[in-house]
Amino acid sequence: MGYKVVVAGATGNVGREMLNILAEREFPADEVVALASRRSLGTEVSYGDKTLKTKDIEGFDFTGYDIALFAIGSEATKQYAPIAASQGCVVIDNSSLYRYDPEIPLVVPEVNPDAVEEYRSKMIIANPNCSTAQMVVALKPLHDRARIKRVVVSTYQSVSGAGKDGMDELWNQTKGMYVPGQEVEPKKFQKQIAFNVIPQIDVFLDSGDTKEEWKMAAETKKIMDPSIKVTATCVRVPVFVGHSEAVNIEFEDFLDEDEARDILREAPGVLVIDKREPGGYSTPVECVGDFATFVSRIRQDVTIENGLNLWCVSDNLRKGAALNAVQIAELLGNRCLKKG
């Protein structure tokens, strides 16, 4: 007997990817239901070799369903997640709504799998921010070996992190640059994204950090270790899919770059591509559609006593969102629900 699974937000970028990954990984589901808002009612979405018609999330009865993967944004999640949870369905939420609730686990299966068992408090598990997820997958095995004191990260985040509207704006703006009269003014982003980079993701806080930068620090502490200091600069770049990060790490103990490379080669969810030659590293183009977090450019930072630099790339719609949610569902099933 397999699981009964709901995917809420099935017509969006992340929701569609959740359905793809459930099928690809052969998640043991007897039934999968696609939910969307009323305006998308009846839209067809793919689930493996099947086509599902979306049902209206409003008024949907979650009773009898085991797991609901939510990709509907914080406002809608605030309305529907408590309903699903109260009807006995475990919610795995991709929004930021519950990430910082001390009673709700924030889980990256390769990093803190034991936290999944804390779901019982509210029947909800939070999925981390896309930029955090890939970084902590790379950091955790190094932290286990040499204890991380401080992380300085600069991100190069694709427009798909801002949803379909972000992807459309890059596409249309790029075309408009070459066709007089078809120029596209910024709407989704604060400034022109075509042939440009924008050092703002989410709103500004009083500290001068953006909320995205604050998220990376807060989530790394919750997932890995509250003693780790994190400072981030998050930048939107004209790439459709795939987030990249330049990460500088300061450890308590010395960690040689060769040992770090060997550790990461053995780490779950990590693929090391690190040749010191032209093209011997990963870029977003190569990571699209892949499950792995790619790590390259591993090298000593000689400006501090125990420092390393590395380059980290991942498909943000997969490891940064949909894949991590499905991995949480797998972990929840294996450890707690034990069906299928």
Side-chain angles (χ1 to χ4, degrees):
M1 184 176 176
Y3 295 94
K4 295 178 71 175
V5 179
V6 173
V7 176
T11 59
N13 287 346
V14 174
R16 289 177 186 271
E17 202 65 26
M18 285 173 170
L19 288 167
N20 289 337
I21 293 170
L22 284 168
E24 285 177 29
R25 293 173 72 91
E26 298 181 343
F27 186 83
D30 282 351
E31 181 184 348
V32 175
V33 175
L35 299 183
S37 62
R38 185 161 293 174
R39 68 177 181 272
S40 300
L41 186 64
T43 300
E44 293 187 343
V45 290
S46 297
Y47 168 59
D49 57 2
K50 299 177 183 177
T51 299
L52 308 178
K53 283 191 175 181
T54 59
K55 298 182 179 181
D56 188 359
I57 191 171
E58 188 174 338
F60 183 80
D61 186 358
F62 292 88
T63 305
Y65 289 88
D66 301 293
I67 299 169
L69 305 179
F70 270 46
I72 56 176
S74 293
E75 283 304 309
T77 297
K78 190 174 184 179
Q79 180 178 354
Y80 295 112
I83 295 171
S86 70
Q87 293 173 350
C89 182
V90 183
V91 174
I92 299 171
D93 176 37
N94 193 61
S95 80
S96 61
L97 181 64
Y98 295 113
R99 290 174 186 160
Y100 315 107
D101 186 326
E103 293 186 66
I104 291 178
L106 180 65
V107 178
V108 176
E110 298 93 336
V111 179
N112 61 336
D114 292 346
V116 78
E117 298 187 23
E118 300 166 18
Y119 82 94
R120 294 179 181 86
S121 173
K122 292 193 175 179
M123 295 289 284
I124 297 171
I125 301 169
N127 212 19
N129 191 36
C130 48
S131 51
T132 305
Q134 68 185 68
M135 184 175 75
V136 296
V137 168
L139 292 182
K140 179 59 163 60
L142 303 179
H143 182 58
D144 288 345
R145 161 61 180 82
R147 308 301 298 173
I148 293 172
K149 291 171 60 178
R150 181 171 184 258
V151 176
V152 182
V153 55
S154 296
T155 72
Y156 307 76
Q157 294 178 226
S158 67
V159 294
S160 59
K164 183 179 181 298
D165 289 345
M167 299 177 78
D168 288 345
E169 187 158 309
L170 173 58
W171 175 255
N172 292 325
Q173 221 170 55
T174 302
K175 289 193 298 181
M177 299 287 286
Y178 295 99
V179 183
Q182 292 189 20
E183 296 84 0
V184 175
E185 291 297 313
K187 185 176 179 182
K188 181 66 178 178
F189 299 112
Q190 302 83 6
K191 296 197 176 191
Q192 174 187 313
I193 185 61
F195 304 101
N196 198 17
V197 298
I198 303 172
Q200 179 191 350
I201 300 177
D202 214 325
V203 298
F204 279 99
L205 306 176
D206 290 343
S207 64
D209 289 329
T210 64
K211 195 170 182 183
E212 184 84 357
E213 292 156 355
W214 174 85
K215 287 175 191 174
M216 290 195 74
E219 292 174 18
T220 300
K221 289 173 178 289
K222 183 172 179 179
I223 295 166
M224 277 184 52
D225 187 334
S227 69
I228 297 174
K229 296 178 181 178
V230 179
T231 182
T233 300
C234 295
V235 182
R236 191 72 73 189
V237 297
V239 170
F240 283 107
V241 178
H243 288 355
S244 305
E245 298 172 349
V247 188
N248 176 264
I249 313 161
E250 182 180 0
F251 297 92
E252 291 182 6
D253 301 317
F254 178 75
L255 178 59
D256 178 76
E257 62 188 39
D258 292 326
E259 184 182 355
R261 197 174 291 109
D262 290 341
I263 290 169
L264 289 167
R265 283 198 177 105
E266 298 299 319
V270 175
L271 183 60
V272 175
I273 298 179
D274 192 15
K275 297 179 180 178
R276 294 181 175 178
E277 60 187 44
Y281 41 80
S282 295
T283 66
V285 170
E286 288 99 51
C287 81
V288 173
D290 204 295
F291 291 146
T293 295
F294 292 76
V295 179
S296 309
R297 303 294 317 279
I298 303 163
R299 62 204 189 277
Q300 228 75 50
D301 175 7
V302 297
T303 68
I304 53 176
E305 189 171 356
N306 299 317
L308 280 179
N309 289 304
L310 58 82
W311 174 252
C312 172
V313 183
S314 190
D315 182 331
N316 56 293
L317 298 178
R318 292 207 151 204
K319 187 54 192 170
L323 171 62
N324 200 73
V326 173
Q327 287 178 305
I328 291 172
E330 292 169 344
L331 188 63
L332 179 69
N334 292 333
R335 288 205 178 196
C336 306
L337 304 183
K338 297 182 179 178
K339 288 175 66 175

